[in-house]
Amino acid sequence: MALQLSLRQARELPELRFEPTRKRVRASSGGKVFADSGRAALVWEPRRVVPQYAFPEADVRASLTPAAPAEVEWHPVSLGPNTHVLVPSTGFAAHTTPGTPLTMSLDGVVLEGAGFRPDDPDLAEYVITDFDAFDEWREEDETIVAHPRDPFHRVDVRRSSRHVRVEVDGVTLADTKAPLLVFETSLPPRLYLPPSDVDFFRLRESTRETACAYKGRARYWSAEVGGRTYPDLAWAYENPLPDAVQLAGYVAFFDEHVDVTLDGERVPRPVTPWS
């Protein structure tokens, strides 16, 4: 019987998973390099869809001491029937595999709970690290943002001539026949629209900013329609990372909260972590 790979990946979500990398990886904070290794591994704790870097303990320059368990707000997200995952909004301190939380200290810089030593024998010599606890991460000599890149995750950008219309409460916010379609592993396709085909008269720049490990840093707009404000409904990457340079300046809307018509047919609103 043929195997659908995405379904197999979903079945593996409850497992502790890891993958070694040959990249040189460095984690720094306060001007101090806490870890520097060419033997790091990516680790996905059970139910996690975004990995963290783990370093061999011999490549960690900081002292490691047990940390008190932290209070954590859990944010499980449903991606479909019987699929409940933890996205990055559930912080690093929420561990789903047995182990010991660690405080990492180096030359007066103390990062409480920034490390985790799992009990699993395959990872016994590793310390998993909290990406957000460090000021800077480098793969080789390039800075990475948001979280480690998943080697099994792709972002494909494709030009299209499909007719796309985006509406809120029957009011058109964008209408184009020249969209860019983004196909990203495990997520529904996302539509990015030329700014010339977006009604910026109804959009107001927001203070929100986010970062994507694959696309870069995004700015946001809220929409004002019929006397109502729809916060942070659209975004764009003005200076995207090399993997997504085609997206520069193009505008995307949360399909989860707008009405999208594609080639004359209404598209069902997808179920994602942003629903």
Side-chain angles (χ1 to χ4, degrees), residues 158-222:
R158 295 292 181 266
R159 290 188 299 273
S160 178
S161 58
R162 297 197 196 189
H163 184 194
V164 178
R165 187 169 66 252
V166 176
E167 298 174 304
V168 170
D169 286 344
V171 176
T172 299
L173 298 181
D175 193 319
T176 187
K177 292 185 178 179
L180 295 175
L181 270 65
V182 174
F183 300 92
E184 188 165 355
T185 306
S186 302
L187 293 173
R190 188 71 76 181
L191 301 162
Y192 282 76
L193 314 178
S196 57
D197 293 337
V198 175
D199 184 3
F200 280 96
F201 179 77
R202 298 185 182 277
L203 300 182
R204 298 291 180 267
E205 189 166 1
S206 167
T207 58
R208 183 182 182 188
E209 293 183 356
T210 60
C212 170
Y214 310 97
K215 305 182 205 75
R217 300 189 183 278
R219 56 183 293 207
Y220 283 75
W221 292 267
S222 298

Side-chain angles (χ1 to χ4, degrees), residues 38-208:
R39 304 178 296 155
L42 292 157
V43 176
W44 296 257
E45 289 193 40
R47 297 173 61 198
R48 292 283 189 179
V49 292
V50 171
Q52 299 282 5
Y53 266 124
F55 294 95
E57 193 162 335
D59 295 339
V60 176
R61 299 177 180 177
S63 62
L64 304 172
T65 55
E71 293 186 7
V72 180
E73 290 188 10
W74 293 75
H75 298 283
V77 174
S78 175
L79 297 182
N82 302 317
T83 305
H84 295 276
V85 301
L86 297 177
V87 293
S89 58
T90 296
F92 176 78
H95 295 290
T96 54
T97 192
T100 304
L102 300 170
T103 291
M104 304 178 70
S105 305
L106 180 63
D107 296 337
V109 180
V110 179
L111 305 179
E112 183 75 23
F116 183 74
R117 185 185 288 118
D119 291 344
D120 189 277
D122 289 329
L123 296 171
E125 303 300 322
Y126 283 86
V127 174
I128 305 173
T129 49
D130 179 2
F131 192 92
D132 291 338
F134 297 88
D135 296 339
E136 183 181 55
W137 284 86
R138 288 184 179 270
E139 293 177 348
E140 298 299 335
D141 289 335
E142 293 196 9
T143 300
I144 59 173
V145 299
H147 59 77
R149 296 184 183 186
D150 185 332
F152 308 108
H153 189 104
R154 284 190 58 85
V155 177
D156 289 327
V157 182
R158 295 292 181 266
R159 290 188 299 273
S160 178
S161 58
R162 297 197 196 189
H163 184 194
V164 178
R165 187 169 66 252
V166 176
E167 298 174 304
V168 170
D169 286 344
V171 176
T172 299
L173 298 181
D175 193 319
T176 187
K177 292 185 178 179
L180 295 175
L181 270 65
V182 174
F183 300 92
E184 188 165 355
T185 306
S186 302
L187 293 173
R190 188 71 76 181
L191 301 162
Y192 282 76
L193 314 178
S196 57
D197 293 337
V198 175
D199 184 3
F200 280 96
F201 179 77
R202 298 185 182 277
L203 300 182
R204 298 291 180 267
E205 189 166 1
S206 167
T207 58
R208 183 182 182 188

Side-chain angles (χ1 to χ4, degrees), residues 164-175 189-193 198 202-203 221-225 228-235 251-262 265-272 274-275:
V164 178
R165 187 169 66 252
V166 176
E167 298 174 304
V168 170
D169 286 344
V171 176
T172 299
L173 298 181
D175 193 319
R190 188 71 76 181
L191 301 162
Y192 282 76
L193 314 178
V198 175
R202 298 185 182 277
L203 300 182
W221 292 267
S222 298
E224 295 183 358
V225 177
R228 179 180 174 185
T229 298
Y230 296 82
D232 304 326
L233 195 65
W235 71 92
V251 179
F253 290 84
F254 278 111
D255 296 354
E256 299 85 342
H257 303 291
V258 298
D259 296 317
V260 176
T261 302
L262 187 62
E265 295 187 9
R266 181 63 58 86
V267 178
R269 293 187 177 184
V271 177
T272 75
W274 302 279
S275 295

